[in-house]
Amino acid sequence: MEGRINQSRRDFLKVAAVAAGVSAVSFVAVSRDELKKLLVPVRVEDLIAEAAEAGSPLERRAQEREAKLKQWCQAEAEKICSSMGEDSEACKEARKRCAMIKVKATGPREGVRFAMALDVNKCIGCRRCAYACVMENNQARNLGIEWIKVLEIPREEMEIVYANMHYTDAPKPNMVYVPVACMHCEDPPCTMVCPVKATWKEPDGIVVVDYDRCIGCRYCITACPYGARRFNWAKPYVPVTELNPNMHILGNVPRQIHVVEKCTWCIQRTRDGGVPACVEVCPVGARVFGDLHDPSSPIRRVIEEYGAFVLKPEAGTRPRFFYFFGPKRTPPREPGTERETGH
Amino acid sequence: MTADGSFLDTIKFIVREALLNGGRRYYLALIGLLIVALYGMYLWIFVQHAPIFLGKEEGGLILTDLSDSVPWGIYIAFFVFWVGVAAAGIVFGIAAYVFGDKEFKKVAVLGEVQAVAAIITVLLLITVDIGRPFRAMILMPQLPNLRSMLDWDFIVLTGYLTLNLIGMLVTVHYYRQDKPLPKKFIVPFITIAAPFAIGIHTVTAFISQALTARPIWNSPLLAPRYVATAFASGPAILLLALYLAERYMKGFKVDFSVYKKTLYVIVGSLVVGLYFTLSEVHEIFWYTTEPMKKAQAQVLFLGYHLPYLAKMMWLWIGLGIAAVILGILPRVHNSKKGIILVSVITIVAVVAEKTMTIIIPAFVPGTLGEVHPYYPTALEIGITAGVHAIGILIYLLLARPALKAVMTHYFKGSGAHH
Ligand code: SF4
Ligand code: SF4
C-alpha cells in the first residue's frame, strides 16, 4: 500500500514537471518581456496618473514605439525609392515623413476640460471633417475606418432610426446633417465594460484607448450608444507617403490588428494647445472646440448664447459633444422646398 | 484490483476508462470528433494566424462576416446557449440531493459532466471570438475588475467549472469504491452549486441586458428568460445523453421516473419561456415608444433585412408550443421514445431562441440607424462546429468513466465492472 502511494506520488510529480515545462515553453513563446510588463494588476487611477506624469512608463513606451515606427517607415520608404527612383515625389515625401515621426505621451493639463459643439444649421454634410480625420489620425486605408460618421436626418424629426449615413449628395434643404463621433461622455459606458481596463477617461475629458492593452473583445463597441468605436478587423494599412508623423501614443499611432480605436479629439494636437483637425478643416465653421472651464472659450459662449442639446440624452451618458442651432442656415432655405409638415 | 483511497487513482481510473477501455464504435466516435475539432482549430488559426502565429499581415477577423455594426455573431450566440446548458446541469443534482430522489442519485453525476463540457465549450467560444486571445491570458491578473460584466462572467464561469469538476471527481471517487457520497460533501456542494448555476446564466444575461446602446436587450425579462429556457434545453440534452448511455453502455439502466420527472421540468420551463416571449411581444408591438427597439423587433419577428432571424424566432414559438402540447399528452409522456422526441424538439426550439435571435437583432439596425445584415460565414460555422466537437468529446470522455463508477455502486453484480 505504502509503496503504491509513493509510486503514484512520483507519477504525479513527473506529470506536474512535464506540465510546468510545457506551460513555461508556451509562455516564453508569447514573449517574456511583454509578459512581465503586463503581468501586473493595474488600477484605472494608476493608468490616468501614468498618462499624466513626465518620465512615465507611458513615455518610455512612446519612445520605443517611435523607434520601431521609424524603422518600419524607413524600410517602406526604401521600397518606394528603389521602385520609383530616388528623386520621385513619393520617395522624397516618404523620406521626409519618416524623419519627422514623433510619438508623444503628453499628459492632460491641469484644470482643462475639453468639449466640442457643432452648429446643425451650418453643417452642409460635405464630410470633409471625416476625411481630414482619416488623414490626421492615420486611420486604416484598407478597412474603410472613419471615426466621424455624418448622418443625414429629416429636418422635422431628429430621430436616429431615420438617419442615413450613405447619402451621395448634400446639402438637401429638408435635411439636417449631424456628424457623430465619440462624444467623450461624462459617464462613458464603454470604459465601464472593458474587462481589461484598456480604455478610460482622462482628467481633461478625453476618452482614450490603450492599444497595447486592448484584447479585442468588442464589448465597448457593443456598449457605445453612438457607434463611435471602430475595430481593426485586419491589419490596418497606411501608406507612408500619407503618414501623419505627429503622433500620440494614446491617439493616432498606427494601430495593431484586432484592437479598438476611436476619436480622441486629436489628442496629439489639443494637448499641445491646438484644435482638432475636423474643427480646422470645416469649410463653414460649424464646429467649436474649447475648454469648458475657461469662461472666455468659444465653447462656453456658444452654449450660453444658443443653448445646446446632446444626442440620445436618454442613454444617460452625458456627452460632452453638443449640438446647437446657430443663427444662420447654410445654404439658405429656398421657399417652397420645405416638406409638408401636416397642417 | 481493489480500488484504493487516493484521488490520483481516481484520476487514473478516469483516464483509463476514457481512453483505453472502449469498443470500436467508441473509438470511431472519438476520432470523428477529433477530426472535426482539429479542422475547426485549423480554421481558427487560419483566421488568427496573422497577428499571433506568423506575424504576417494577412488574415484576421475580417475573414468573418462580423463588422463594426455587428461585432458579435455566431460565437457569442452559441456562447449564450451553452452557458444555459451548463447551468441546467444542476437539475439532476437538485432532484437527487435536495429532494432526495434515489433514482436521480444514480445519474446526478451526468449533470456535472455536462456542465464541465458545456463550460469548456463556452470558454473556447469566447477565446475564438476575441481578437487577441493570448493577450487576454496575460491580462488575467487584472481580473477582479468588477465593473465589467465580462469579468464577472469569467469569474462565475470558472468558479462553476471548478465546482463541477470537483463534484464529478468526488462522485466518481466514492462510487468507484462502492461507497455512498458523504453528506459532509454533498450538502455544501449543492448549496453552493445550485445558486451558482442560476448565477452563471444571470450574469451572462447581464452582459447585454443593461446596455442602453441596444434597446432590444433593455428588457428586465432578459435574464429570467435566459434561465427559463435554459432549464428546458439543459435537461433535454441530459435526457438525450441518458438515452444514448442506456443504448450503448452495457448494463446501464435508468428508471423511467427519471425521464418523466425531468420532462415536467422541461415542459414547465418551456411554458414560462414562451410566456416571457409573449410578454415581450406585447410590450414591443403594442406600447413601446422607443423607435429603435421597435425597428429591431421588426427585424426579429418580421424578418426585415434578415429573414433568417424571423424564421428562427417563429421556429422557437412554434416548436416550443408543439413540445409543450406533446409533453402533456399521456400517450407521449408515458413512453421513453415519446419523451425523447419532446426533448429533441425542445433542443431545436431553444437553439432557435437562444442563439442568433438574442444576439443579432440588437445590432440591426445599429446605434446610428445603420442596417448592416449579418450572415455567419462558412468559416465561422466551421470554427463553431470545431469548438462544439471539443465539447462533445469532453462530454464523451468524462461521461463513460463517471457512469461506470455509478454502475459499480448501484448495479453491483451486473457484470459491468472490469
Ligand atoms: S461616445 Fe461611445 S466611445 Fe465615446 S465616450 Fe461615449 S460611450 Fe464611449
Ligand atoms: S475591445 Fe478592447 S477596449 Fe474595448 S472593451 Fe474589449 S479590451 Fe476593452
Side-chain angles (χ1 to χ4, degrees):
Chain A
M1 195 73 185
E2 186 65 17
R4 274 249 307 282
I5 291 177
N6 279 341
Q7 180 60 40
S8 52
R9 275 190 199 135
R10 264 195 297 278
D11 288 350
F12 176 74
L13 287 178
K14 267 184 232 156
V15 176
V18 172
V22 170
S23 40
V25 168
S26 57
F27 269 117
V28 171
V30 188
S31 157
R32 214 173 31 195
D33 281 349
E34 211 163 306
L35 198 79
K36 265 195 213 130
K37 262 183 262 164
L38 293 164
L39 251 176
V40 252
V42 291
R43 295 179 307 148
V44 172
E45 299 79 67
D46 295 344
L47 290 173
I48 290 176
E50 177 186 304
E53 89 204 21
S56 62
L58 194 69
E59 213 153 79
R60 235 173 300 134
R61 252 168 57 199
Q63 273 155 17
E64 276 166 31
R65 182 61 74 80
E66 186 177 309
K68 273 208 200 112
L69 272 174
K70 277 214 162 112
Q71 239 174 35
W72 162 80
C73 185
Q74 268 146 14
E76 290 284 295
E78 246 6 275
K79 267 187 240 160
I80 293 176
C81 292
S82 62
S83 75
M84 301 180 70
E86 223 19 84
D87 32 48
S88 66
E89 223 24 69
C91 169
K92 276 188 213 145
E93 188 64 34
R95 286 257 157 83
K96 193 174 93 204
R97 293 195 186 225
C98 293
M100 278 163 63
I101 287 180
K102 174 99 196 84
V103 181
K104 296 176 290 191
T106 334
R109 252 177 304 154
E110 195 74 34
V112 171
R113 184 66 181 78
F114 290 128
M116 205 191 276
L118 185 135
D119 186 344
V120 185
N121 262 348
K122 270 191 186 156
C123 177
I124 50 169
C126 65
R127 295 179 36 80
R128 280 197 182 79
C129 52
Y131 186 67
C133 180
V134 169
M135 303 307 269
E136 168 70 26
N137 289 302
N138 295 324
Q139 282 157 41
R141 307 298 199 272
N142 55 336
L143 304 177
I145 290 179
E146 276 180 6
W147 290 352
I148 301 177
K149 298 252 135 112
V150 184
L151 306 182
E152 180 191 75
I153 308 183
R155 190 160 262 281
E156 70 261 37
E157 206 167 350
M158 285 278 276
E159 172 50 58
I160 283 187
V161 185
Y162 310 128
N164 172 18
M165 63 174 85
H166 304 293
Y167 61 86
T168 46
D169 53 328
K172 299 189 198 95
N174 51 5
M175 296 285 175
V176 285
Y177 296 88
V178 181
V180 177
C182 177
M183 303 279 169
H184 297 274
C185 309
E186 199 73 72
D187 299 320
C190 57
T191 63
M192 203 138 80
V193 297
C194 180
V196 293
K197 297 179 200 151
T199 171
W200 66 87
K201 190 177 183 66
E202 293 261 299
D204 58 359
I206 299 180
V207 174
V208 294
V209 182
D210 185 339
Y211 312 120
D212 292 333
R213 298 177 63 80
C214 175
I215 60 171
C217 65
R218 313 190 288 287
Y219 197 4
C220 53
I221 301 186
T222 310
C224 171
Y226 303 98
R229 288 176 170 250
R230 303 269 164 273
F231 188 66
N232 287 284
W233 294 95
K235 173 125 178 164
Y237 164 74
V238 184
V240 280
T241 46
E242 293 174 21
L243 200 69
N244 175 11
N246 174 26
M247 300 178 198
H248 192 286
I249 182 87
L250 296 175
N252 61 343
V253 281
R255 268 74 62 185
Q256 304 86 313
I257 185 173
H258 294 170
V259 300
V260 155
E261 59 182 56
K262 60 178 247 324
C263 156
T264 60
W265 275 342
C266 291
I267 193 167
Q268 69 279 5
R269 290 164 154 246
T270 48
R271 284 211 171 149
D272 293 348
V275 293
C278 54
V279 177
E280 196 175 293
V281 83
C282 180
V284 292
R287 285 175 183 259
V288 181
F289 182 81
D291 177 6
L292 216 50
H293 289 165
D294 175 5
S296 63
S297 81
I299 184 95
R300 281 279 290 274
R301 210 199 69 234
V302 154
I303 292 175
E304 275 151 32
E305 202 165 314
Y306 302 109
F309 65 98
V310 297
L311 289 184
K312 296 195 187 184
E314 74 277 5
T317 61
R318 297 164 66 216
R320 283 302 166 258
F321 191 108
F322 301 98
Y323 296 90
F324 65 102
F325 284 93
K328 255 213 286 283
R329 279 203 62 218
T330 312
R333 191 191 294 257
E334 292 160 37
T337 53
E338 285 120 280
R339 254 218 225 158
E340 294 293 329
T341 44
H343 49 84
Chain B
M1 193 210 300
T2 51
D4 83 69
S6 99
F7 269 106
L8 196 62
D9 283 332
T10 301
I11 293 173
K12 276 188 189 159
F13 166 81
I14 292 176
V15 173
R16 180 158 31 98
E17 289 296 328
L19 295 180
L20 304 178
N21 265 341
R24 223 170 88 90
R25 210 164 18 204
Y26 177 67
Y27 285 120
L28 280 181
L30 288 194
I31 289 172
L33 286 170
L34 206 63
I35 290 173
V36 180
L38 286 177
Y39 187 62
M41 224 139 75
Y42 160 74
L43 289 180
W44 178 68
I45 290 172
F46 172 65
V47 165
Q48 286 277 342
H49 83 299
I52 288 155
F53 290 93
L54 302 178
K56 282 254 186 78
E57 311 207 347
E58 67 261 23
L61 282 166
I62 199 161
L63 300 173
T64 66
D65 200 23
L66 296 165
S67 60
D68 288 338
S69 293
V70 188
W72 287 351
I74 187 170
Y75 303 144
I76 299 294
F78 275 90
F79 155 81
V80 170
F81 177 74
W82 288 106
V83 173
V85 170
I90 203 71
V91 167
F92 278 9
I94 294 177
Y97 303 115
V98 177
F99 297 110
D101 189 312
K102 181 133 187 308
E103 290 304 323
F104 272 97
K105 280 189 186 152
K106 293 182 190 168
V107 292
V109 69
L110 198 63
E112 283 148 22
V113 170
Q114 176 165 315
V116 169
I119 296 218
I120 291 177
T121 312
V122 158
L123 294 175
L124 286 174
L125 279 170
I126 306 190
T127 313
V128 296
D129 181 67
I130 61 178
R132 324 186 94 201
F134 285 136
R135 192 171 282 277
M137 304 300 157
I138 293 167
L139 286 171
M140 271 323 157
Q142 319 299 338
L143 257 193
N145 165 17
L146 298 183
R147 295 212 301 169
S148 173
M149 271 300 147
L150 229 49
D151 285 359
W152 276 100
D153 208 40
F154 186 80
I155 291 169
V156 287
L157 282 176
T158 44
Y160 190 65
L161 175 64
T162 322
L163 215 58
N164 277 289
L165 271 176
I166 294 173
M168 190 202 84
L169 258 182
V170 172
T171 314
V172 173
H173 185 63
Y174 280 93
Y175 283 174
R176 187 175 67 92
Q177 302 168 67
D178 198 2
K179 288 190 225 151
L181 285 180
K183 265 223 153 48
K184 263 205 315 253
F185 163 73
I186 204 68
V187 173
F189 175 76
I190 206 79
T191 340
I192 300 172
F196 235 103
I198 310 278
I200 56 169
H201 216 23
T202 306
V203 173
T204 305
F206 283 180
I207 286 180
S208 49
Q209 178 169 303
L211 295 177
T212 31
R214 312 282 161 190
I216 202 146
W217 284 342
N218 285 165
S219 156
L221 266 189
L222 197 65
R225 207 180 103 196
Y226 269 35
V227 176
T229 47
F231 276 76
S233 60
I237 292 181
L238 270 175
L239 283 191
L240 213 60
L242 268 190
Y243 185 73
L244 292 178
E246 272 195 294
R247 268 200 70 178
Y248 292 112
M249 282 180 70
K250 244 190 264 126
F252 183 69
K253 276 271 150 296
V254 187
D255 196 73
F256 185 63
S257 71
V258 168
Y259 283 87
K260 203 159 170 187
K261 286 177 186 163
T262 312
L263 186 71
Y264 298 160
V265 177
I266 295 176
V267 171
S269 310
L270 274 180
V271 171
V272 176
L274 286 165
Y275 174 61
F276 284 170
T277 302
L278 175 73
S279 169
E280 287 198 322
V281 166
H282 164 255
E283 191 248 354
I284 291 170
F285 285 103
W286 268 260
Y287 291 116
T288 192
T289 51
E290 156 69 288
M292 191 68 87
K293 189 169 190 172
K294 223 172 209 163
Q296 291 176 336
Q298 281 166 346
V299 178
L300 177 56
F301 284 95
L302 309 176
Y304 295 7
H305 320 302
L306 278 174
Y308 76 91
L309 276 189
K311 283 187 195 124
M312 288 179 88
M313 200 58 198
W314 291 103
L315 204 64
W316 148 241
I317 295 173
L319 287 184
I321 293 174
V324 171
I325 293 175
L326 281 177
I328 53 182
L329 290 179
R331 264 249 303 283
V332 177
H333 69 219
N334 281 333
S335 80
K336 215 176 251 181
K337 285 241 161 64
I339 291 178
I340 291 301
L341 176 72
V342 176
S343 301
V344 172
I345 296 178
T346 305
I347 295 169
V348 177
V350 178
V351 167
E353 188 255 5
K354 268 280 238 323
T355 53
M356 310 299 270
T357 57
I358 282 200
I359 298 300
I360 308 304
F363 302 111
V364 185
T367 44
L368 297 181
E370 192 185 16
V371 173
H372 189 120
Y374 168 77
Y375 293 90
T377 55
L379 204 65
E380 286 166 276
I381 294 171
I383 293 174
T384 314
V387 169
H388 281 69
I390 297 178
I392 298 171
L393 196 68
I394 289 167
Y395 203 157
L396 208 57
L397 287 178
L398 293 181
R400 261 174 31 112
L403 291 180
K404 284 229 172 101
V406 169
M407 273 164 29
T408 318
H409 184 54
Y410 284 104
F411 311 133
K412 273 167 267 178
S414 64
H417 189 55
H418 315 276

